[in-house]
């Protein structure tokens, strides 16, 4: 019954796609359990580079069934364009399964996301503008539209009416925008129904039966721990639960079924959008990390904010997710620095603090306390085993492991599929 959760241990973009894809060959199901097309995975297979936003990255592994769970929000137009793009490149996508309970990102959710951000001005969250937050808000407000609603026109119309009732008041009276017509939305949504139909399934049943049959199921988190609506740097977060518990609710699998929780951890730190980031760099080192690491958002094309590794955050990720392992990514990006600062604690209002403060005010005041580890200059991209790494790189990894509270079981030393050092097998 191997059920693995793979999730971002920082603010997302840690390189999950590579990790999922690496496991894909031995995994029977890859499941997304939250988020939507705000995620961005770049997966490199041979000389081909694939950018995925909504589809689980297991879609690139022929033996694997990709699943979009009930906790995901789905924009059908994005789904189809992603499927078309893969089909054009010869990838078979026919095995995809989508939960009938997953919520649909409607065109009005995208509109509300954009106008809300504009309205917030300098207090904006810096969302991806894909309608994620408003779709989850509708879900919680019980006026959401689910995939299964596309197969009952009368129900769909009633639900769209209910959802638009309040929103049109808001759009016209507060945001000064035109009202959205129910009929137009219903027509657009119904237009997706036939093409979606073959993929729609009772994914909760499928996944639980798969686990009973000892199949390997991989739950793939979008975004990252610090973007979690409950455990992240609220309000600068996404509107779902990327943390390990989200895999259970977002896929309908009980916590007793999860055997391993793997945190993807970048060898330094990045973040997109607004919000606190204690180790952020505003100098040439930050510029160099961005350039060498290719730190530009796959989904939004925005430059990522870059900074040194933060062990306080890694420890927090271990705790809140119950991590059993780390997959350390992008170690090669750090090649060439004489010494590498690592944040081991914070100084908050003159006091040294070892753990992530629960208070937002304190976290906004946190200044990094650095330890300086010796760097390396050798090319590490060809390293196949831990012993192939230069001593200082080995020591950097060991130091991170000790500070972060879980074993580092794999290390990414380059973007390619085979540029990974496996220390302990995940299966
Ligand atoms: P939303 O998810 O579009 O609502 O955006 C909320 C916050 O999460 C913003 O700061 C986004 O930049 C951030 N975010 C959303 N998806 C990702 C991701 O895949 N990687 C990194 N940050 C993300």
């Amino acid at each position: 019954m191997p059920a693995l959760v793979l999730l971002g241990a920082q603010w997302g973009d840690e390189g999950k796609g590579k990790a999922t894809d690496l496991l894909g060959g031995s995994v029977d199901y890859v499941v997304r359990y939250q988020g939507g097309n705000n995620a961005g995975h770049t997966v490199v297979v041979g000389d081909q580079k694939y950018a995925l936003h909504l589809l689980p990255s297991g879609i690139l592994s022929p033996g694997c069934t990709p699943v979009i769970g009930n906790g995901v929000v789905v924009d059908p137009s994005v789904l189809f364009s992603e499927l078309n793009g893969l089909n054009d490149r010869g990838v078979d996508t026919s095995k995809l399964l989508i939960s009938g309970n997953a919520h649909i990102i409607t065109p009005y959710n995208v509109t509300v996301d954009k106008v809300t951000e504009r309205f917030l001005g300098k207090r904006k969250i810096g969302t991806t503008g894909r309608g994620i937050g408003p779709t989850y808000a509708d879900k919680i407000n019980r006026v959401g539209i689910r995939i299964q609603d596309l197969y009952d026109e009368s129900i769909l119309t009633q639900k769209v009416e209910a959802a638009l009732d309040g929103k049109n008041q808001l759009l016209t009276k507060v945001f000064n925008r035109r009202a959205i017509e129910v009929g137009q939305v219903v027509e657009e949504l119904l237009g997706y129904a036939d093409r979606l139909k073959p993929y729609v399934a009772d994914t909760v049943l499928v996944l639980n039966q798969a686990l009973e049959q000892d199949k390997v199921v991989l739950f793939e988190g979008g975004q990252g721990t610090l973007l979690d609506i409950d455990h992240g740097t609220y309000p600068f977060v996404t509107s779902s639960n990327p943390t390990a518990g989200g895999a259970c609710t977002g896929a309908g699998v009980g916590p007793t079924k999860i055997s391993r929780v793997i945190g993807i951890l970048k060898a330094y730190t990045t973040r997109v959008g607004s919000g606190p980031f204690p180790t952020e760099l505003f100098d040439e080192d930050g510029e160099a990390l961005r350039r060498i690491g290719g730190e530009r958002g796959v989904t939004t094309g925005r430059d990522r904010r870059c900074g040194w590794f933060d062990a306080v955050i890694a420890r927090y990720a271990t705790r809140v997710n119950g991590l059993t392992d780390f997959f350390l990514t992008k170690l090669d990006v750090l090649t060439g620095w004489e010494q590498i600062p690592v944040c081991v604690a914070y100084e908050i209002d003159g006091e040294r603090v070892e753990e992530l403060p629960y208070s937002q005010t304190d976290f906004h005041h946190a200044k990094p306390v650095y330890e300086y580890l010796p760097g390396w200059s050798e090319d590490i991209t060809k390293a196949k085993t831990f012993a192939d790494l230069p001593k200082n790189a080995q020591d950097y990894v060991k130091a991170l492991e000790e500070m972060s509270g879980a074993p580092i079981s794999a290390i990414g030393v380059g973007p390619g599929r085979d540029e990974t050092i496996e220390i302990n097998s995940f299966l």
Side-chain angles (χ1 to χ4, degrees):
M1 192 185 63
L4 295 90
V5 181
L6 198 67
L7 51 83
Q10 295 147 319
W11 276 286
D13 307 314
E14 296 90 352
K16 288 181 286 281
K18 179 181 198 278
T20 336
D21 191 56
L22 180 81
L23 287 160
S26 26
V27 167
D28 300 300
Y29 293 81
V30 175
V31 188
R32 275 205 59 186
Y33 55 86
Q34 48 68 235
N37 56 305
N38 50 344
H41 297 318
T42 307
V43 185
V44 180
V45 183
D47 58 356
Q48 297 282 311
K49 204 169 178 179
Y50 299 88
L52 302 174
H53 304 285
L54 174 61
L55 290 167
S57 39
I59 198 133
L60 298 167
S61 301
C64 183
T65 302
V67 179
I68 292 181
N70 54 278
V72 176
V73 288
V74 178
D75 184 330
S77 66
V78 173
L79 175 74
F80 294 152
S81 78
E82 220 159 271
L83 288 173
N84 291 345
L86 290 174
N87 295 152
D88 289 348
R89 293 168 76 179
V91 178
D92 176 16
T93 55
S94 62
K95 288 173 99 176
L96 176 69
L97 299 178
I98 305 176
S99 166
N101 285 348
H103 281 244
I104 296 179
I105 301 176
T106 62
Y108 52 79
N109 292 136
V110 179
T111 305
V112 170
D113 195 358
K114 288 183 179 150
V115 291
T116 314
E117 280 284 272
R118 219 169 297 145
F119 206 70
L120 282 170
K122 69 177 178 18
R123 285 172 301 165
K124 71 177 182 187
I125 307 298
T127 73
T128 57
R130 305 295 197 261
I132 308 295
T135 306
Y136 279 113
D138 279 2
K139 174 177 174 174
I140 301 302
N141 277 333
R142 293 161 294 190
V143 291
I145 311 294
R146 294 185 295 175
I147 301 258
Q148 59 175 292
D149 298 329
L150 300 183
Y151 305 101
D152 186 330
E153 187 172 345
S154 153
I155 287 280
L156 177 68
T157 308
Q158 288 173 45
K159 289 192 174 181
V160 173
E161 266 167 12
L164 277 180
D165 227 17
K167 252 171 230 91
N168 274 336
Q169 300 280 338
L170 203 70
L171 283 172
T172 53
K173 297 187 180 145
V174 178
F175 294 124
N176 233 347
R177 304 273 299 214
R178 251 182 307 179
I180 295 170
E181 264 185 55
V182 173
Q184 214 175 331
V185 173
V186 170
E187 198 186 316
E188 179 174 338
L189 294 179
L190 286 175
Y192 299 128
D194 286 348
R195 187 164 176 203
L196 270 173
K197 191 84 195 243
Y199 301 116
V200 182
D202 182 350
T203 52
V204 173
L205 185 64
V206 170
L207 291 172
N208 280 283
Q209 284 176 339
L211 287 169
E212 274 161 28
Q213 292 159 13
D214 258 346
K215 301 273 195 248
V216 181
V217 181
L218 182 69
F219 298 91
E220 173 187 68
Q223 294 81 48
T225 299
L226 274 293
L227 286 172
D228 186 282
I229 186 86
D230 285 276
H231 303 291
T233 48
Y234 190 90
F236 302 103
V237 291
T238 193
S239 298
S240 63
N241 289 112
T243 49
C248 298
T249 47
V253 166
T256 50
K257 301 277 166 68
I258 307 292
S259 43
R260 216 140 160 199
V261 185
I262 303 155
I264 313 298
L265 191 64
K266 209 181 277 193
Y268 51 97
T269 314
T270 63
R271 145 162 234 179
V272 278
S274 318
F277 178 0
T279 63
E280 183 170 15
L281 292 165
F282 300 95
D283 57 9
E284 63 271 21
D285 280 334
E287 216 18 81
L289 287 174
R290 191 171 303 118
R291 190 185 66 250
I292 302 166
E295 298 298 352
R296 182 174 276 263
V298 179
T299 299
T300 58
R302 287 183 289 184
D303 272 352
R304 296 183 185 135
R305 301 157 64 191
C306 295
W308 299 120
F309 184 83
D310 185 336
V312 183
I313 280 173
R315 278 199 290 281
Y316 177 72
T318 304
R319 188 178 316 126
V320 80
N321 294 300
L323 295 182
T324 57
D325 305 78
F326 279 115
F327 188 135
L328 187 71
T329 58
K330 292 192 148 185
L331 186 64
D332 53 303
V333 174
L334 295 179
T335 300
W337 265 276
E338 213 164 292
Q339 46 176 13
I340 308 168
V342 170
C343 169
V344 295
Y346 299 142
E347 193 195 295
I348 302 174
D349 301 330
E351 265 185 53
R352 185 182 165 108
V353 174
E354 305 283 336
E355 303 299 344
L356 199 86
Y358 76 87
S359 145
Q360 186 187 352
T361 308
D362 285 351
F363 194 53
H364 278 268
H365 292 175
K367 293 196 182 67
V369 175
Y370 285 119
E371 249 176 40
Y372 295 83
L373 305 181
W376 60 92
S377 55
E378 302 89 330
D379 174 18
I380 61 167
T381 57
K382 304 286 172 299
K384 295 281 173 244
T385 66
F386 188 70
D388 293 341
L389 290 174
K391 166 122 190 354
N392 286 354
Q394 290 185 14
D395 288 348
Y396 183 80
V397 173
K398 281 192 212 147
L400 263 44
E401 181 173 87
E402 201 156 301
M403 292 171 196
S404 305
I408 292 175
S409 296
I411 306 168
V413 290
R417 219 180 196 183
D418 54 344
E419 287 170 330
T420 297
I421 297 173
E422 274 190 88
I423 300 170
N424 306 309
S425 165
F426 289 123
L427 293 167

